[in-house]
Amino acid sequence: MTTTETNTDPEALEPVVDPNAVSIVINGRQVTARKGDLIIKAAEDNGEYIPRFCYHERMSPVGMCRMCLVEVDTGRGPQLMPSCMFAVSPDMKVMTNSPIAKAAQEGVIELLLANHPLDCPVCDKGGECPLQDQSVSHGPGESRYIEEKRHFEKPIPISELVFLDRERCILCDRCTRFADEVAGDALIHFTHRGNLTQINTFPGEPFASYFSGNTVQICPVGALTAKSYRFKARPWDLEQAESTCTTCSVGCRITVQSSRDELVRYQGVDSDPVNWGWLCDRGRFNFESVGSGDRLTVPLVLTSSGHEPTSWNSALGSAARLIKDAITAGGANSIAVLGGARGTNEDAFAWARLAHDVIGTPNVSAQLADGLPIGLLALNRATIDEAASAATVILIAPDLKEELPVLYLRLRDAAEKHRSRIIEFTPKASGISRYAWRTVFYEPGTQAGAVATALGQADIAEQIAKGTVVIVAGRANLAESSAPTVAALLALTEALPQATVLPALRRGNVVGATQVGLRPGRGGLASLGILDAAASGKIECLILLGADPLGDVPDADLARRALAGARRIISIDTFLTGSSALADVVLPAAAYAEKSGTTTNLEGRVTRVAQKVTVAGTARPDWMIATELAQRLGAGLGFRSDSDITAAITEHVGGFEGVTAAVLDANPNGVIALAPNIDAINEPMVTLGDRNAYDYRLIVSRKLYDKAIVTTKSPSLAPLAGTSAVYVNPLDVTRIGSAVGAEVKVSSARATVILPLATDPSVQRGTAWVPFNQPGANIGELIDAAASVTDVRIESL
Amino acid sequence: MSRLNEDNVRIALETIARYPKARSAMIPLLHLAQQQDGYVTNEAMAHIGELVGATSAEVFGTATFYEMFKFKPVGKYLINICATMSCALMGAEQLMHHAERRLGIKAGATTPDGLFTLEHAECQAACTEAPTLQANYRYRFHVTPATFDALIDDLANGRLDAEIPPHGTVARIRQRIPADRVVGPRSPDDVTTAPEWMAVAPTASGGGQ
Ligand code: SF4
Ligand code: SF4
Ligand code: FES
Ligand code: FES
């Protein structure tokens, strides 16, 4: 799949007439374009650049700026036409730089500059500005305008993240088109008219889109600037490297940019199979956490007076001793490794070798009891492209807008452009419900039944019969065990054997880490089993690989008992989290952009991640820590660099045979590697007990912004987390006998928390929704990881 | 506070029902809001967005495109004095100076009693009758300082109430279409086959007309 074969079949060499080829003449040169191509694109594909501002390949053309005027002759004599608005036609003659075309282009620049403030010296865009560049390349070089320019209040914040300078705006409609067409958040719009036309939000209603940062990137002038980057650097000071965002498992391609060895910005890269150039704001702006002053920079060991900084030598010595002691005390099985989904494939592989081969424990898991069994990865895998072009997409997944934002954009696009119909199974409305063809609400725990009923309906059956089906599968509700979702997924795959599955697991490299070996060995425990074992004192040494069970495991009590019950804890982390604060040894890890390697997204797509800045303090990449520990445990892994490990993965991991360094270099969009040797998913046990006096079935799900460490340590994103509240259907408020905004008691059989009451009409009656890991009371206190569902009582105080 | 009131919500829903796409009712609903409060309030724009399925920003963007929608309170009577060429030649500037003196405000402002707002306007398409003005978009032709003063007196004393309703009232008679007479137009997106009226009976020669 990853090699291109030279075709030697003589028949293939016969000239084929391409029905989509259109022959046109550009600047006197005969070239071939594709049917339906806009002139501006056909010209570009054939090496003739036509200046433009409003045209953007990923959005519909609007002909707003007139910069792309060229002379076009379709047989009726040459006419000036905006080349972004007309498709090629056979034998069309295009003149991009005839005297008339040039005069028109110069005129447009002169007009655009009539009101442009030309404050380039203090503008973030200066040096990478299409207006600057094209004024030089296609402008008249001087202006006849001497009048006073139009004035607006200089930059106004249009959201927590983005500033707008209306004086600089050339009204190209890119940001507004993006907001409406791509993101579906039409919260900015042209307002007023004529000379006063401007971009703005509704008064008092900010541009609070999860995708707002993209507008800064596509604005062709410095009108939109990002709070995190304003006045931080000049383009000519920037260094950059292409990489992949690992904030979630969509794996958007990005350029990581730094100035003076400090990360200052990520820009989206247009990867056709993945992100089309777009990023979510969480992924775009969380680079700030890498340079946070709170990063762990030296190893820590727990002493009687708390954590003390120490040398790597002594810390690694202590860690190795803890592991050896554990083996002596309880055997290798008393050691468990949890985490690794935040690192590279190389980190994961080195740790998998250390855990499975050197230590010899099968108790390894890259998940944190909030995903699905890894057998999910053994199902026939779909790609994002396949999902976004399938006739039917079935979602039995978390709210994609909150958890896998750019996958949401791709599926939204598929629905909006009428390529796909979405059938969504969900306990409450999600971001994509607006675009779904059918949204089937189910009461938590009953999704398998909901699926069976829906599949039996004539219109749904008819829709499914129309073509390919892709199932997007993940855990929609953290107050449920994974069992009900697995049951529904198996019901779907049994009924639709041809369907392929896109796993909606969330953490950046969870798929890669699992595929290269950070998963339970024979007879080994998965994440929930590890936590249970630790809680019952069966784990001598728990190794946390960038994992923070206290923050991420839905069952708060279990997480607490597990950390208390593990005799020793070794934590490898970038920050001192709630969990690493309890560790006996804390080893500072290199963060994203501080190490190179490869990562694997939810499709199984392997891409390179790049190092751009020096590590914080003495931090080291996870793989290096694994290698050193292995050495101290008497077995060298033999890795001297991350590329050694990339090669070892190619050699040893099934499915990764073709993923060589050369192939990765040749394919910046990555290559798909699936793990063929993961065991199939087991039939789960769903037990829905009696509700008794607990009237509400609980739904707990994640929001894009929460208390995750990289968010809280990114000053731009930190204020965006909401607050915790319990949401019920408006019709249930009176039943509770309380009022919206008032504090109520939410109790399960296990515990009680106090939360403000809120309403959301998309929450079904008899259910209650609480966002996970938000500032405020911890809803995890109520969740029992072993129970299929969580029922709660809500009482006024 | 200044969302559409109950009566107007009823009218709004009736209006929306006439269009194949709810959004198409945005402008009529903005007029309704302006009629209710004399200007279009932010609350009304947000409310209209909810009613037609648009974001507040989209309603705001559409509304601010139009000069005749006001977003700040205006006087009960909005006086627009034309300042374009024909009127300018016929003394519009002097008329404006006179108006400013008479009302004691500058163009663009509202009298402290909230009765009059004075504005410059572009050509009102009555150039042969220059200079012209409009009071709540009702014409006055060949205006002189004296007829201007008389108009202001009449308006202030309510003598013109029958002709000139308060600002925002486009027409006193609202078109109501009984449910059984609504055409029920379809959205262009929903038209997938040739409409019935297009069907042509085949003739002997095999062609239609
Ligand atoms: S702010 Fe930028 S992207 Fe938006 S319309 Fe103005 S110039 Fe275009
Ligand atoms: S969708 Fe995921 S991978 Fe893409 S930018 Fe956002 S966090 Fe990063
Ligand atoms: S690029 Fe064609 S009009 Fe703007
Ligand atoms: S110029 Fe005043 S009405 Fe035409």
Side-chain angles (χ1 to χ4, degrees):
Chain A
M1 149 185 14
T2 51
T3 53
T4 39
E5 287 171 31
T6 336
N7 202 332
T8 47
D9 180 355
E11 267 183 73
L13 300 174
E14 291 280 307
V16 203
V17 183
D18 180 350
N20 283 319
V22 178
S23 171
I24 63 170
V25 178
I26 299 182
N27 295 343
R29 194 158 54 91
Q30 175 117 16
V31 299
T32 309
R34 312 284 306 163
K35 194 172 166 184
D37 269 359
L38 296 168
I39 299 171
I40 195 169
K41 175 163 194 302
E44 184 163 12
D45 290 349
N46 286 289
E48 298 288 349
Y49 179 82
I50 300 175
R52 81 283 304 260
F53 293 112
C54 66
Y55 171 73
H56 189 285
E57 228 188 310
R58 293 290 183 190
M59 301 193 287
S60 52
V62 285
M64 200 69 192
C65 71
R66 316 316 269 185
M67 190 62 231
C68 64
L69 287 171
V70 293
E71 270 197 287
V72 177
D73 185 352
T74 53
R76 296 185 298 169
Q79 299 175 37
L80 278 176
M81 284 186 171
S83 56
C84 70
M85 291 299 284
F86 292 90
V88 292
S89 60
D91 302 324
M92 170 184 265
K93 290 191 189 59
V94 180
M95 286 143 284
T96 68
N97 50 18
S98 64
I100 290 184
K102 275 174 107 164
Q105 291 162 7
E106 287 178 2
V108 170
I109 290 277
E110 193 178 0
L111 278 166
L112 287 175
L113 294 182
N115 267 318
H116 193 80
L118 289 173
D119 46 4
C120 313
V122 293
C123 176
D124 276 352
K125 203 78 172 189
E128 55 176 16
C129 175
L131 183 58
Q132 265 186 340
D133 296 348
Q134 293 179 148
S135 290
V136 173
S137 61
H138 295 83
E142 58 188 347
S143 173
R144 286 165 289 181
Y145 292 105
I146 50 162
E147 292 80 5
E148 180 67 18
K149 297 184 187 232
R150 187 174 68 154
H151 287 296
F152 282 116
E153 184 188 337
K154 283 286 225 186
I156 50 169
I158 54 168
S159 76
E160 288 274 358
L161 299 168
V162 179
F163 285 82
L164 166 67
D165 181 331
R166 290 163 293 175
E167 292 185 344
R168 292 181 188 156
C169 171
I170 59 165
L171 303 172
C172 71
D173 194 23
R174 275 187 172 198
C175 57
T176 36
R177 241 180 314 158
F178 172 84
D180 181 27
E181 236 178 76
V182 181
D185 300 321
L187 299 170
I188 43 173
H189 206 274
F190 282 123
T191 72
H192 302 83
R193 182 165 45 112
N195 204 30
L196 292 176
T197 310
Q198 52 183 285
I199 297 295
N200 220 327
T201 62
F202 186 68
E205 205 177 291
F207 179 38
S209 168
Y210 285 171
F211 305 97
S212 67
N214 294 295
T215 62
V216 177
Q217 185 175 339
I218 61 176
C219 179
V221 296
L224 295 169
T225 46
K227 184 175 170 184
S228 58
Y229 180 75
R230 284 173 62 77
F231 310 122
K232 283 278 163 62
R234 313 255 49 196
W236 46 88
D237 293 331
L238 294 178
E239 285 184 58
Q240 67 177 38
E242 197 171 315
S243 192
T244 299
C245 175
T246 58
T247 306
C248 83
S249 65
V250 175
C252 300
R253 288 295 279 173
I254 60 174
T255 353
V256 175
Q257 301 183 332
S258 67
S259 169
R260 283 165 296 167
D261 204 25
E262 217 180 278
L263 294 182
V264 289
R265 183 170 72 172
Y266 295 164
Q267 296 277 63
V269 170
D270 193 328
S271 166
D272 192 59
V274 184
N275 60 315
W276 291 5
W278 313 131
L279 302 179
C280 72
D281 287 353
R282 176 174 169 145
R284 183 183 296 269
F285 295 118
N286 71 17
F287 71 84
E288 291 178 330
S289 68
V290 175
S292 162
D294 296 338
R295 282 283 304 281
L296 284 169
T297 53
V298 288
L300 304 174
V301 286
L302 195 61
T303 65
S304 47
S305 54
H307 276 134
E308 291 289 344
T310 180
S311 70
W312 270 96
N313 206 5
S314 94
L316 285 167
S318 313
R321 204 165 40 252
L322 293 184
I323 294 172
K324 279 191 208 144
D325 290 351
I327 297 177
T328 321
N333 281 16
S334 70
I335 297 176
V337 178
L338 208 51
R342 294 263 179 243
T344 58
N345 290 336
E346 287 68 22
D347 290 334
F349 185 73
W351 271 95
R353 291 288 299 271
L354 172 64
H356 290 300
D357 303 346
V358 179
I359 299 174
T361 175
N363 304 323
V364 177
S365 174
Q367 297 200 71
L368 288 173
D370 59 352
L372 289 181
I374 56 168
L376 174 65
L377 302 181
L379 298 168
N380 287 334
R381 194 91 56 91
T383 62
I384 295 175
D385 267 349
E386 282 160 4
S389 58
T392 310
V393 184
I394 301 181
L395 300 180
I396 175 111
D399 190 335
L400 298 180
K401 190 173 181 181
E402 306 289 346
E403 300 207 359
L404 302 164
V406 170
L407 177 60
Y408 158 81
L409 289 188
R410 292 290 312 269
L411 293 181
R412 178 189 176 275
D413 178 79
E416 286 280 277
K417 305 264 169 69
H418 305 294
R419 282 195 307 274
S420 310
R421 279 183 168 170
I422 297 173
I423 302 176
E424 182 192 31
F425 294 93
T426 183
K428 71 173 270 290
S430 74
I432 215 159
S433 300
R434 278 168 71 188
Y435 309 103
W437 176 69
R438 288 283 185 283
T439 295
V440 180
F441 292 110
Y442 62 80
E443 182 168 274
T446 66
Q447 44 270 61
V451 164
T453 315
L455 290 180
Q457 281 163 11
D459 57 342
I460 290 186
E462 191 187 320
Q463 170 57 33
I464 284 172
K466 280 189 181 156
T468 51
V469 180
V470 170
I471 302 166
V472 181
R475 180 110 158 245
N477 182 0
L478 301 174
E480 276 174 17
S481 69
S482 64
T485 305
V486 171
L489 176 61
L490 293 182
L492 276 169
T493 50
E494 262 159 44
L496 310 167
Q498 306 298 329
T500 49
V501 178
L502 189 61
L505 300 178
R506 174 173 156 276
R507 276 183 204 92
N509 194 25
V510 64
V511 172
T514 305
Q515 290 190 165
V516 302
L518 276 184
R519 59 175 191 261
R522 198 153 298 285
L525 300 169
S527 53
L528 195 54
I530 292 175
L531 293 165
D532 275 333
S536 48
K538 294 195 198 107
I539 298 294
E540 291 289 331
C541 182
L542 177 63
I543 302 174
L544 299 176
L545 217 45
D548 175 16
L550 291 181
D552 276 326
V553 171
D555 182 336
D557 183 56
L558 174 64
R560 235 179 350 249
R561 284 186 294 119
L563 293 185
R567 186 174 311 279
R568 299 292 192 188
I569 299 173
I570 300 171
S571 166
I572 290 94
D573 217 327
T574 49
F575 289 95
L576 206 55
T577 62
S579 305
S580 49
L582 301 173
D584 298 86
V585 179
V586 185
L587 301 172
Y592 182 77
E594 293 178 343
K595 59 185 171 186
S596 49
T598 60
T599 187
T600 312
N601 80 347
L602 40 74
E603 306 164 280
R605 180 180 304 280
V606 185
T607 51
R608 279 202 186 281
V609 293
Q611 183 201 347
K612 190 69 227 72
V613 290
T614 323
V615 286
T618 66
R620 297 181 182 183
D622 296 13
W623 68 262
M624 199 184 278
I625 298 173
T627 314
E628 303 226 12
L629 281 175
Q631 205 108 49
R632 281 165 208 263
L633 295 172
L637 294 178
F639 303 140
R640 306 241 297 280
S641 68
D642 59 278
S643 37
D644 283 355
I645 312 181
T646 316
I649 294 174
T650 314
E651 194 178 326
H652 298 293
V653 180
F656 280 71
E657 297 81 6
V659 193
T660 61
V663 168
L664 286 170
D665 289 336
N667 296 282
N669 288 341
V671 283
I672 303 271
L674 302 174
N677 50 358
I678 290 181
D679 295 336
I681 220 160
N682 290 327
E683 197 69 53
M685 280 282 296
V686 181
T687 28
L688 300 181
D690 223 340
R691 282 209 191 184
N692 298 325
Y694 297 99
D695 314 321
Y696 296 88
R697 193 148 276 178
L698 189 61
I699 305 161
V700 173
S701 64
R702 293 181 188 271
K703 302 279 292 170
L704 186 66
Y705 302 121
D706 58 11
K707 288 194 300 176
I709 197 86
V710 287
T711 306
T712 46
K713 299 295 181 191
S714 298
S716 300
L717 298 179
L720 298 176
T723 49
S724 210
V726 55
Y727 292 80
V728 296
N729 188 287
L731 298 175
D732 278 341
V733 173
T734 41
R735 186 150 75 116
I736 294 164
S738 182
V740 171
E743 301 216 301
V744 290
K745 239 165 66 177
V746 185
S747 347
S748 72
R750 172 178 278 194
T752 296
V753 294
I754 309 281
L755 286 168
L757 183 66
T759 56
D760 179 342
S762 84
V763 173
Q764 306 298 296
R765 293 201 70 178
T767 65
W769 171 61
V770 180
F772 188 61
N773 202 21
Q774 300 291 321
N778 182 3
I779 190 65
E781 301 293 347
L782 267 49
I783 298 173
D784 177 354
S788 291
V789 292
T790 309
D791 291 329
V792 296
R793 196 159 50 215
I794 305 178
E795 296 156 304
S796 63
L797 277 181
Chain B
M1 148 210 132
S2 300
R3 289 163 65 90
L4 294 180
N5 62 31
E6 229 171 89
D7 287 344
N8 285 335
V9 168
R10 204 155 15 82
I11 296 175
L13 294 176
E14 260 178 47
T15 311
I16 290 169
R18 284 194 219 157
Y19 294 89
K21 288 193 168 177
R23 276 170 176 253
S24 311
M26 205 184 273
I27 299 276
L29 298 200
L30 286 163
H31 279 297
L32 188 62
Q34 180 147 291
Q35 174 165 353
Q36 175 180 297
D37 298 313
Y39 70 106
V40 184
T41 65
N42 286 348
E43 293 80 2
M45 282 188 278
H47 194 181
I48 290 170
E50 289 163 27
L51 289 168
V52 304
T55 63
S56 311
E58 289 172 305
V59 180
F60 183 62
T62 307
T64 52
F65 185 84
Y66 298 96
E67 194 92 330
M68 282 166 73
F69 289 127
K70 305 293 175 191
F71 304 95
K72 289 198 190 83
V74 289
K76 185 173 176 196
Y77 300 106
L78 173 66
I79 310 291
N80 284 307
I81 297 181
C82 175
T84 310
M85 185 62 77
S86 304
C87 295
L89 290 172
M90 297 300 284
E93 204 175 332
Q94 292 89 313
L95 179 60
M96 181 55 95
H97 283 318
H98 174 78
E100 288 180 337
R101 259 195 317 275
R102 163 68 212 257
L103 295 173
I105 50 171
K106 284 282 177 199
T110 302
T111 54
D113 60 4
L115 220 43
F116 296 102
T117 297
L118 187 61
E119 276 185 359
H120 276 295
E122 298 301 330
C123 178
Q124 296 176 332
C127 314
T128 51
E129 320 299 324
T132 67
L133 66 72
Q134 291 178 327
N136 288 352
Y137 306 110
R138 273 75 178 171
Y139 279 105
R140 285 297 180 268
F141 298 140
H142 309 295
V143 187
T144 63
T147 56
F148 181 85
D149 288 346
L151 171 70
I152 296 298
D153 289 340
D154 288 348
L155 286 171
N157 295 324
R159 283 195 289 271
L160 289 175
D161 282 0
E163 187 202 347
I164 303 182
H167 182 252
T169 309
V170 178
R172 286 183 202 268
I173 299 170
R174 179 166 290 283
Q175 183 193 28
R176 304 297 270 273
I177 305 180
D180 60 329
R181 283 173 47 201
V182 171
V183 173
R186 280 193 294 168
S187 154
D189 295 350
D190 298 340
V191 181
T192 48
T193 52
E196 256 170 63
W197 52 263
M198 221 185 227
V200 175
T203 59
S205 63
Q209 244 198 325

